[in-house]
Amino acid sequence: MAIATRTATAVWEGDLPTGKGTLMNTSSGVLDDEVVTWASRTKAPGGKTSPEELLAAAHASCFAMAFNLRVSEDGVTPSSLEVSAEVELDEVGGEPTITSSAITLRARIDGIEQDAFKAAVDDASRGCPVSRLFASADITVDAELI
């Protein structure tokens, strides 16, 4: 049985260049009525979201959870974690392809040595379910204990 299942629906109206999609029926309701467009995906957001932005949010929050879980196994609780993700859409073989997700972690953690920090980062990189989903993409992590 699954740990969790979440859902969302996108309803698209119009052609790709000028049409729009509207998110609805999301499990939490938080994303309901958010609009996605080709322009928000490939040019400027203009107050609209994109699959890449949603994936970046998913990857950043998933990595934060995976890292927090990992350091807690060492008996350490972070004072704060700031995790960002930059997801890139590029053309590969003439097709738009999500090619990378770059994670940046800035962590404030008392009582952790640099080697233990690096080990936790490496384990979180492998343990984050969204990282595993992106297995075909180039995933990098720039982590700093501050």
Side-chain angles (χ1 to χ4, degrees):
M1 178 169 279
I3 294 172
T5 302
R6 302 293 181 261
T7 60
T9 301
V11 176
W12 192 271
E13 297 172 344
D15 64 4
L16 183 61
T18 61
K20 70 175 185 170
T22 304
L23 301 177
M24 56 179 43
N25 302 323
T26 60
S27 296
S28 68
V30 171
L31 297 172
D32 287 357
D33 301 320
E34 288 297 319
V35 175
V36 297
T37 65
W38 183 249
S40 67
R41 188 173 198 182
T42 60
K43 293 180 178 44
K48 298 166 184 69
T49 193
S50 69
E52 291 71 28
E53 180 179 50
L54 296 169
L55 290 170
H59 204 187
S61 58
C62 182
F63 189 91
M65 289 181 201
F67 181 80
N68 200 321
L69 174 64
R70 175 55 182 78
V71 296
S72 73
E73 291 169 350
D74 289 342
V76 179
T77 301
S79 300
S80 68
L81 302 176
E82 182 178 305
V83 183
S84 61
E86 182 178 286
V87 172
E88 190 169 283
L89 178 69
D90 204 352
E91 190 173 303
V92 175
E95 298 290 333
T97 303
I98 295 168
T99 57
S100 66
S101 181
I103 295 284
T104 301
L105 166 64
R106 298 297 175 254
R108 290 189 189 279
I109 308 172
D110 292 330
I112 192 169
E113 298 296 323
Q114 189 64 39
D115 288 346
F117 174 73
K118 182 177 178 342
V121 168
D122 292 345
D123 289 347
S125 294
R126 288 187 299 275
C128 170
V130 174
S131 292
R132 290 195 307 271
L133 177 66
F134 287 156
S136 66
D138 178 31
I139 299 170
T140 61
V141 179
D142 171 17
E144 180 181 353
L145 184 60
I146 53 176

